[in-house]
Amino acid sequence: MSPFTGSAIRTERWRHLRLTVDDGVATITLDRPDKLNALTFGAYADLRDLLAELSRERSVRALVLGGEGRGFCSGGDVDEIIGATLAMDTAQLLDFNRMTGQTVRALRECPIPVIAAVHGVAAGAGAVLALAADFRVADPTARFAFLFTRVGLSGGDMGAAYLLPRVVGLGHATRLLMLGDPVGAAEAERIGLISELTEAGDAGTRAAALARRLAEGPALAYAQTKALLTAELDMPLAASVELDASTQALLMHGEDYAEFHAAFTEKRPAKWQGR
């Protein structure tokens, strides 16, 4: 996403999310604990738009996505979304489903490393939001459930049929998306759905520590690595290595590359600038 804008200005207050920024680390908290952070139309839109804004913020170098209360996110609100969609026409339904997909695209396409801090339930759309993050740090209470077929819809919602096989393999993805059975933290770690399994209650702390490490690292290198991981999923090898070569040639002109050499020569830690 481009850092250049037209007339858009930074949003100072988000109605459906809680945002804090501390020394390069942004934390987005889904904040409906009484509803297990169930998503509303407004929450989807806020998350999509917030990710676009953060992508233009050069000062933000890592992002943690978490949930308040007893769980990460229980998915779309049954009354406020599922009930409402029954009264929508096809055009309205298409607009809504495109918006949910745009939220996942925003997570994947923003240049900032995203860490999902998962505790308790991550179900339906909540499971896909966690899936779309770059890292999933979870504690033993975490339960992932891709529930779409349980409500009579395709398991391939919000890009899940694209992302999940690439994370856990086609066999596990088929089982999870077709049956919608919950997966506990231990199994999620075994099949590769979790990046790090923490001690009880430590998912937020460990996610914050990882975010701090990323924020202090070479931001441009991380951004390009994330972009290549996404772009090369569907490329033949020849196109991938050519894109890698072009990217490296550009980064070799960067300040961070020269800084590494200077730090190595002077036997000191590198001072990364993200340039």
Side-chain angles (χ1 to χ4, degrees), residues 102-205:
Q102 288 164 359
T103 305
V104 169
R105 283 188 59 190
L107 284 165
R108 294 303 316 143
E109 294 176 1
C110 76
I112 307 165
V114 179
I115 306 110
V118 183
H119 71 289
V121 65
V128 184
L129 292 181
L131 175 65
D134 301 297
F135 302 89
R136 282 159 296 284
V137 177
D139 81 1
T141 67
R143 302 188 316 281
F144 299 84
F146 298 86
L147 297 173
F148 306 107
T149 61
R150 297 286 187 95
V151 300
L153 298 176
S154 164
D157 194 38
M158 297 171 62
Y162 178 89
L163 292 171
L164 192 58
R166 289 162 169 81
V167 173
V168 302
L170 180 60
H172 290 305
T174 300
R175 172 171 60 92
L176 297 181
L177 293 183
M178 282 198 176
L179 299 180
D181 291 339
V183 175
E187 183 182 2
E189 182 185 35
R190 178 178 64 81
I191 65 178
L193 185 55
I194 286 177
S195 309
E196 179 185 348
L197 182 59
T198 74
E199 299 295 326
D202 282 351
T205 302

Side-chain angles (χ1 to χ4, degrees), residues 7 17 51 68 95 108 125-126 163 169 171 195 204 206 238 257:
S7 58
L17 306 166
L51 288 164
E68 185 64 46
D95 284 342
R108 294 303 316 143
L163 292 171
S195 309
R206 292 295 301 158
Y257 187 63

